[in-house]
Amino acid sequence: MHLAILITYIFLLLIIFCYSLVQLNLLYNYVKWNKLKSASPQLFNFENLDEIPLVSIQLPIYNEKYVAKRLIQQICKLEYPTEKLEIQVLDDSTDASAEVNRSYVEAFQQKGIDISYIHRENRNGFKAGALKEGLAAAKGEFIAIFDADFLPKKDWLHKTIPYFKDEKIGVVQTRWGHLNKEHSLITKVQAFALDFHFVLEQVGRSFGNHFINFNGTAGVWRKSCILDAGNWQGDTLTEDLDLSYRAQLKGWKFKYLLDVETPAELPIVISAARSQQFRWNKGAAENFQKNYFTLVNQPHLNWSNKIHAFFHLLNSSLFAVVLALAILSIPVLYIKDQFPEWDWLFYIMAFLGLSTFIFIIAYGFTYRKMEGKKASFWKFIGLFLSFFSIAMGMSVNNTKAVLEGHLGKKSSFVRTPKFNSVQKKKINAKAFSKASFSWEYILEFLLVFYFIFGIYSAFKLNDFGLLPFHLMLLFGFGFISYKSLFSKS
């Protein structure tokens, strides 16, 4: 039994180590991209009206009491020839905001803006269903999509649409910005994680010619690409990732624009962050089951593409690995004390622990890119430790999501509530954070005491190798438990 625990623990560490090597490769790609001058791409000439294509903008919203008006107003301010622009408000709302949103649309219609209001009687297919229904009526050759919490700048279309001059490009994706990054520790660590994805991962995959993903919003699709790839499908919770892979399997190229930022609002309450994480992680697992085995059997894709796609689609499954490592870490501490003759196994564990330093280096590059001259080493270390601690604290929530995704259990698309938190007026976020109490909360609370015992064990056994790990786990589960059980903000 003791040996089985150690072998399992080493195997889990090996998975994390392999994932870190993939991230190191993405870092290499990013550094290489950063040093090379990219060739001038083909671009539409926007000085020639005949070259400016017709664009449809889709705004999928659902019960967005606080941010729908802000979104519609911002989109109607975009700089683009009015005769070349169509706006669709795809409103699946079931509350009083539906009629309010309709009135906003009618007001802009009276100003001569080509904007329509589409309200479905059901939520079949959730967001994917709304986008598909809107697409059937869309006049544009290109389809831009913005979720309710995004505020693109006025020249956004001028910075994205010209790249479609290259007929092989099916998607142009921009980087997310953060309107309320400094709101709380929750928003700071979310921004830290998203910046890593949008700076290192998206650039690294794009430069390495690996599969990347449309991020559900703040991007543009070529309409013919959507249709060629099989249109929007609502059988996974991440319809964006699904269509991205199906489009790239058809040979379409994605263009990622790191330097075009589209600001958005981060979730400010823990229930919202939990539901968003649950949806993203379950959707990734569903997409692995749906698309990876098709991808791996494509003879024209090299093994590098297949390995990167494997870890891309399974990155959410690492939460299950982390949770298992955390739980096994305390028994490992006692086995190490009882069986000193197995020291060679613990040397292997120590070597595989180098993955932590790879993550620090990779996240450090992202942090420095985003902060520029404001970058502080100690602030970075604080953010890194906070992010990883809270991410580990979310591992119960996310492991449940991953298991449901791999096992094929279906669930509803739960929207992430937005509160327009960038305004100074007070928002009653509690009224919109309706996360029901569940067994996960109890398990997370019990794990707080479990890792207190792990810290006690370090002093009892005079072995402090895992003490930093257990301190981070204590903080992570303690933070998530407190916010979930006792705090609503």
Side-chain angles (χ1 to χ4, degrees), residues 340-352:
E341 64 272 21
W342 290 347
D343 275 355
W344 62 278
L345 288 173
F346 298 105
Y347 289 132
I348 294 175
M349 294 180 194
F351 173 78
L352 295 177

Side-chain angles (χ1 to χ4, degrees), residues 231-244:
N231 214 324
W232 295 104
Q233 297 174 8
D235 55 345
T236 73
L237 290 181
T238 47
E239 73 294 322
D240 46 1
L241 180 60
D242 175 32
L243 186 57
S244 297

Side-chain angles (χ1 to χ4, degrees), residues 91-105:
D91 191 1
D92 281 359
S93 297
T94 55
D95 62 5
S97 68
E99 286 306 312
V100 176
N101 296 337
R102 188 189 297 272
S103 69
Y104 295 153
V105 171

